[in-house]
Amino acid sequence: MNYKQRTKILIILLGAIGDVTRALPLAVRIRRYFKNAELFWAVEPKSYPVIRNHAAIEKTIVFDRPKGFFAYLSFLKQLRAEKFDIVLDLQRHFKSGVTSRATGAKRRIGFSRANSKEFNWLFNNEFIPAVDNFSPKILHYQLFGDALRLPALNPLEFGLKPSRDEVTEMEKRLVSYLGQAGLELANAQTRLALIVGSSWPSRFWSAEHYRELIEKMFKRWKLVSFIVGGPSEEEFAKQIFSNVSTLPAVNLVGKLKLEELATFFSSVGYAFGSDSGPMHIAAAVGIPVISIWGATSPARSAPYNNEKYVIKSDLKCSPCYKRECPGLGMACMLELCPDIVLAQFEKLIEKDERGKNANERN
């Protein structure tokens, strides 16, 4: 598709960090193949740092949700003033539907009636084909590119590659943190990012499991763990370090900004965690990500290009899609013990070592 005049396109995807990250390849695809497009993105503050300086996006319009109803009205006024030609409603909820309709755009493309929620379909006038809900969400978003008749983007690209200066500065910080923790200087391939926590309590792994994994990963491969998470996970991170005099790990929980995570993950060799936004950022920069799943399904949300490193609970109650465990003591997550994770890492690391040896022979 190649409009002769400048075409203003708005992506509406307001909230979850993981969803916004998985929609970035759509933005890259539009920028690459829709030559006359001017791409905007409507987003809420918590996910804004993911897209703030993204090369594919010309402008972001932020809905300051904590400020309430009047902030929403101001947000809608801003959107309408832009006079968009096309709106892509990736959110599929009532609020995003209202937002889409309020723009006044002639083409408003959303999810099919079968997949939309809260009467979202009433507010749009074009729709992507119906999808299986338990299929990769990242591919659902690519159907919006198909609706614009754009060439496929294969493999998908996220556009999160940090600059050389950003990598250099992050390396200095990590070396400093290692020194403060009394650990030897480790290169990227001997660093493991442990992503703790999630927006849902039901997705948490236990502090005891993390502690055991840290110790075994260091003993087996001399991998030093960097624990990452947001400020809300600070107390949980402290539990990991409790009852031990030393641990081959650096606690970075609350010390990295969301916009720094892509650079951080580019500076480590591997990542591990449960379903969360940072997990998707780690996959987006291209490092191997081993993930564990209980309350939610990897069929829908496995980190891109890391589906083979998924570890899923076999309990019948999984996935329940409950924010809080419904009285079963987080059994689905607790049954995924550190030794199961260790076995998955063994396959991954041995594969890496075979690849390195092959390259050296060549």
Side-chain angles (χ1 to χ4, degrees), residues 166 286 300 344:
E166 289 172 329
R300 185 175 183 186
Q344 186 71 285

Side-chain angles (χ1 to χ4, degrees), residues 203-207 209-210 213 236 272 292 333 336-338 341:
R203 299 173 184 169
F204 272 66
W205 213 33
S206 75
H209 280 0
Y210 275 111
L213 182 65
F236 179 79
F272 166 78
I292 50 173
M333 296 298 281
L336 303 177
C337 67
V341 178

Side-chain angles (χ1 to χ4, degrees), residues 90-166:
L90 274 59
Q91 192 83 44
R92 71 175 183 161
H93 290 171
F94 179 80
K95 181 171 63 180
S96 66
V98 171
T99 302
S100 177
R101 182 66 183 86
T103 65
K106 290 183 179 180
R107 295 187 68 189
R108 303 184 305 279
I109 306 173
F111 277 85
S112 74
R113 181 173 180 175
N115 300 119
S116 60
K117 300 179 180 180
E118 302 168 352
F119 301 100
N120 170 276
W121 59 275
L122 290 172
F123 301 96
N124 294 309
N125 56 18
E126 294 183 37
F127 308 94
I128 64 170
V131 296
D132 180 352
N133 277 323
F134 284 97
S135 59
K137 187 181 283 190
I138 195 169
L139 299 183
H140 299 174
Y141 296 150
Q142 287 301 305
L143 292 174
F144 287 83
D146 296 348
L148 296 176
R149 300 182 182 178
L150 300 177
L153 187 67
N154 188 24
L156 299 182
E157 298 175 31
F158 294 80
L160 290 181
K161 187 175 181 179
S163 69
R164 183 178 298 177
D165 288 345
E166 289 172 329

Side-chain angles (χ1 to χ4, degrees), residues 26-52:
L26 174 62
V28 172
R29 185 178 174 188
I30 292 171
R31 171 60 56 230
R32 181 166 302 172
Y33 297 121
F34 202 145
K35 300 302 183 182
N36 296 318
E38 185 179 359
L39 185 60
F40 290 61
W41 195 309
V43 71
E44 292 181 4
K46 66 179 179 180
S47 294
Y48 171 57
V50 176
I51 61 173
R52 178 167 51 198

Side-chain angles (χ1 to χ4, degrees), residues 55-71:
I57 303 162
E58 306 231 5
K59 184 178 178 180
T60 53
I61 300 177
V62 180
F63 165 40
D64 199 352
R65 184 176 181 178
K67 293 186 178 179
F69 179 70
F70 290 105

